[in-house]
Amino acid sequence: MSNFIADRAIALSQASSDADAIEQKHRQIAADFEQELAKSPPDLTGVQLALSDYLSAVKLVLDDYFDHEVWVRAEIRAINSKGGHYYFELAETDDEENITASCRATLWRFRAKTVLAKFTAATGQTLQAGTSVLLKCSASFHAQYGFSLNISDIDPHYTLGELAAAYQAMKNRLHESGLLNLNKQIPLPFDIRHVLVIAPEQAAGLGDFRAEADRLAATKACFFSYHHATFQGNGAADEIRTTFITSLASFQKNHNTLPDLVAIIRGGGAVGDLAYLNNYELAAVIAESPVPVWTGIGHERDLVLLDEVAHTRFDTPSKLVLAIQSHLVQMTSKATVAMARLIKFSKNKLSKASQDNQQQLQRIRLNSTHSISLAKKDLLHQHKYLKNSTKHHCSQTTHRLNTLLTSTRAATQAITTQAKINNLRYFNQHKIVFDYLSKLKNNCRYLQSLILIQHPKRTLKKGYAIIHEQSQSACNIAHIAQLYPKQKIQITLQDGTATATIDAIDTRQMNSTTEIL
């Protein structure tokens, strides 16, 4: 039976080699296997196997039916190496990112160097978690270590296709978010004075860029501020994004303004290294930049996501700095032409204005001479009229002042006399009031002395006592009629108080008899 299934598998594998055919082949192998089992099902009633025996049997079945290599699509969930061997955790997920299948895989040391070098050269990146791969592998089963795949080759073209699909997905996302052409809509400044440059510290094209940039800076035509970041490796995108944000903030803090232009350059390097620059978060930051961003990544035919969102894209850093120089030259030429036109226009205006001024001056002189002659005549007439009028007014004013002075003197004398009479009357009235007040003062002092003499303290010192009713009203008792038997009273003496109760009242005597209980 096993030889039959093996023969069928070999025949089917020779018939076709594409993925769909291989899957169909496996389905047919399984169907044939089920048919063979249905014809002669094994009788295992009462059989007890050791785990190792059972797993060894499974291994024999796998070795018989899956001893050939096939191409398998999977995603790398984890990868590590030890002793030159590479160990993978592979998985397959559905549309909701749920894992539908997973297993281990091994790339042995004797194949690893060749396979990984070919993959890196073609894709420009190393194998890492999250990478979709197409593996040429065979099934392996061990009673102790379980099921795994032995990898003999990795197809880099499949991974490149996945990268291209991911690139297009990010580009579509940028377009749907309105970011793809956002930076391109920013108008380029007329004069590029400050350029912020982000590049790898040891980039091959940075030297060429600086050769032209330093020449521009030496003439003070343009100033460059350099910041460095890594442009390859897994953390390249995050480092470039962080450098971009921090350098813009630092420039604004130091200069109180934003730069006129941001240049992102790489210059040279492997084409595969461009994949590290295809990052949505980095592209979004570049697209949302408040200033134009120019890129000079260093390849003529290959585009990265930064080129898609940048304001302007150049093949190399040298072309980028030459474009800055060309812009400055073009703007200078335009400014020179505009200045020449302005000077010519100004000269024409000044010449015409000078002619107009001369004509106006001549006209003004003639009009001034005539106006001055008329003004002299008017002034002489006005002077004569003012002289006569002033003399007449002075005469009338003198007469009025004399009349007013006489009437004022008479009125003043009458007022003074009346004032003297009023003052004498007021003085007499004041004297009468003063005498009356003196008399009132003496009366007040007499009444004050009487009040002080009649003060209760003085009365008590003479041996008298004050009797109060011992109740809430506590009114003074001055008459015998206010007393009644068993009435509680309070007697206030000079040096204290005492409480007493009325025992009997004798109205025939002057004083009531009391017994103090």
Side-chain angles (χ1 to χ4, degrees):
M1 180 184 66
S2 60
N3 293 332
F4 170 77
I5 296 176
D7 293 339
R8 290 288 297 160
I10 293 173
L12 288 172
S13 64
Q14 292 176 349
S16 64
S17 59
D18 61 340
D20 294 336
I22 291 174
E23 183 178 358
Q24 183 64 30
K25 175 190 68 176
H26 288 167
R27 292 179 182 275
Q28 189 167 353
I29 291 174
D32 294 340
F33 184 65
E34 290 178 357
Q35 290 178 3
E36 289 295 327
L37 288 177
K39 292 178 181 178
S40 58
D43 185 9
L44 300 178
T45 305
V47 176
Q48 296 182 356
L49 298 176
L51 178 62
S52 59
D53 294 336
Y54 184 72
L55 294 180
S56 297
V58 173
K59 182 179 186 312
L60 289 175
V61 174
L62 289 176
D63 290 342
D64 284 343
Y65 301 139
F66 297 96
D67 59 343
H68 53 281
E69 291 184 333
V70 295
W71 288 98
V72 176
R73 299 188 303 271
E75 179 183 333
I76 299 175
R77 307 294 289 185
I79 179 173
N80 58 77
S81 63
K82 183 178 181 181
H85 305 298
Y86 286 81
Y87 302 95
F88 300 82
E89 291 290 340
L90 304 178
E92 180 182 348
T93 59
D94 57 16
D95 295 338
E96 297 179 356
E97 297 299 323
N98 297 318
I99 296 178
T100 57
S102 65
C103 74
R104 295 179 293 106
T106 305
L107 178 60
W108 300 108
R109 179 173 53 194
F110 67 93
R111 290 182 179 272
K113 185 176 181 179
T114 303
V115 172
L116 296 181
K118 181 181 71 170
F119 182 86
T120 302
T123 63
Q125 64 180 28
T126 58
L127 287 174
Q128 55 188 330
T131 304
S132 296
V133 290
L134 180 62
L135 308 172
K136 187 176 184 181
C137 57
S138 60
S140 173
F141 185 83
H142 192 277
Q144 182 177 356
Y145 302 110
F147 180 81
S148 66
L149 299 177
N150 289 327
I151 301 173
S152 62
D153 197 4
I154 301 175
D155 186 0
H157 301 290
Y158 175 83
T159 303
L160 286 174
E162 291 293 316
L163 292 175
Y167 179 92
Q168 188 61 39
M170 288 186 288
K171 185 176 178 181
N172 293 338
R173 184 181 174 188
L174 288 168
H175 178 72
E176 292 171 357
S177 302
L179 300 177
L180 191 61
N181 298 313
L182 183 62
N183 196 256
K184 296 179 177 64
Q185 298 172 5
I186 301 177
L188 196 65
F190 178 82
D191 185 16
I192 301 178
R193 294 284 296 165
H194 298 281
V195 179
L196 193 150
V197 183
I198 299 176
E201 190 169 3
Q202 301 297 332
L206 184 59
D208 297 336
F209 181 92
R210 295 202 65 164
E212 292 295 329
D214 292 344
R215 187 172 62 83
L216 292 175
T219 61
K220 297 183 178 181
C222 187
F223 299 94
F224 296 84
S225 176
Y226 295 91
H227 298 268
H228 302 294
T230 301
F231 272 55
Q232 63 185 40
N234 296 333
D238 291 336
E239 185 173 344
I240 296 172
R241 179 163 54 89
T242 302
T243 303
F244 183 87
I245 295 172
T246 55
S247 58
L248 270 182
S250 176
F251 187 94
Q252 187 173 18
K253 180 179 179 181
N254 295 332
H255 298 83
N256 293 324
T257 186
L258 290 170
D260 300 308
L261 185 69
V262 176
I264 300 178
I265 60 174
R266 188 190 74 151
V271 177
D273 294 340
L274 297 175
Y276 296 108
L277 304 181
N278 295 325
N279 180 272
Y280 177 82
E281 286 74 16
L282 173 59
V285 169
I286 300 303
E288 294 174 340
S289 170
V291 298
V293 179
W294 286 6
T295 58
I297 303 301
H299 285 277
E300 297 181 0
R301 291 176 298 175
D302 299 293
L303 285 176
V304 296
L305 208 58
L306 297 188
D307 295 326
E308 301 283 0
V309 299
H311 182 279
T312 307
R313 176 249 179 184
F314 297 91
D315 299 336
T316 63
S318 299
K319 290 183 179 180
L320 192 152
V321 71
L322 289 176
I324 295 175
Q325 177 181 333
S326 174
H327 176 81
L328 293 175
V329 170
Q330 184 180 2
M331 293 302 104
T332 303
S333 300
K334 289 183 178 180
T336 303
V337 172
M339 182 61 70
R341 291 177 180 175
L342 182 60
I343 292 173
K344 182 178 179 180
F345 178 78
S346 299
K347 286 181 178 180
N348 293 335
K349 285 291 184 181
L350 288 174
S351 176
K352 188 176 184 306
S354 178
Q355 294 176 1
D356 293 341
N357 287 339
Q358 291 296 330
Q359 294 176 0
Q360 290 291 340
L361 183 60
Q362 185 66 26
R363 191 178 299 111
I364 290 171
R365 285 175 179 174
L366 295 175
N367 292 335
S368 298
T369 302
H370 179 67
S371 298
I372 290 171
S373 176
L374 293 176
K376 284 182 178 180
K377 293 180 180 180
D378 291 339
L379 286 174
L380 290 174
H381 177 72
Q382 291 292 336
H383 177 69
K384 184 177 180 180
Y385 174 75
L386 287 173
K387 185 177 180 181
N388 294 332
S389 298
T390 303
K391 185 177 180 180
H392 177 69
H393 285 303
C394 286
S395 176
Q396 290 182 346
T397 303
T398 301
H399 176 70
R400 291 175 182 173
L401 288 174
N402 289 333
T403 303
L404 182 61
L405 181 60
T406 301
S407 60
T408 302
R409 285 175 179 176
T412 302
Q413 187 174 1
I415 292 171
T416 302
T417 302
Q418 183 64 33
K420 288 180 180 180
I421 296 171
N422 292 337
N423 286 338
L424 181 59
R425 185 174 70 253
Y426 293 151
F427 178 75
N428 293 332
Q429 292 177 353
H430 177 269
K431 185 177 180 182
I432 294 170
V433 172
F434 181 75
D435 293 340
Y436 179 72
L437 290 176
S438 297
K439 183 178 179 180
L440 289 177
K441 182 177 181 183
N442 293 331
N443 291 338
C444 288
R445 287 180 178 176
Y446 173 72
L447 292 174
Q448 183 180 8
S449 62
L450 289 178
I451 292 170
L452 292 175
I453 290 172
Q454 297 298 327
H455 194 275
K457 289 185 178 180
R458 288 179 177 271
T459 304
L460 295 174
K461 286 182 180 180
K462 292 178 181 180
Y464 294 99
I466 300 175
I467 300 174
H468 303 274
E469 184 179 1
Q470 191 177 13
S471 63
Q472 293 182 352
S473 60
C475 59
N476 294 338
I477 297 175
H479 304 282
I480 195 69
Q482 294 178 264
L483 297 175
Y484 53 87
K486 296 184 181 180
Q487 180 182 18
K488 291 185 179 181
I489 61 174
Q490 185 176 359
I491 303 173
T492 302
L493 301 174
Q494 177 183 354
D495 54 355
T497 60
T499 303
T501 302
I502 300 299
D503 184 54
I505 302 173
D506 189 357
T507 58
R508 294 174 296 176
Q509 298 179 2
M510 289 293 293
N511 298 317
S512 61
T513 301
T514 62
E515 180 180 350
I516 300 176
L517 301 181

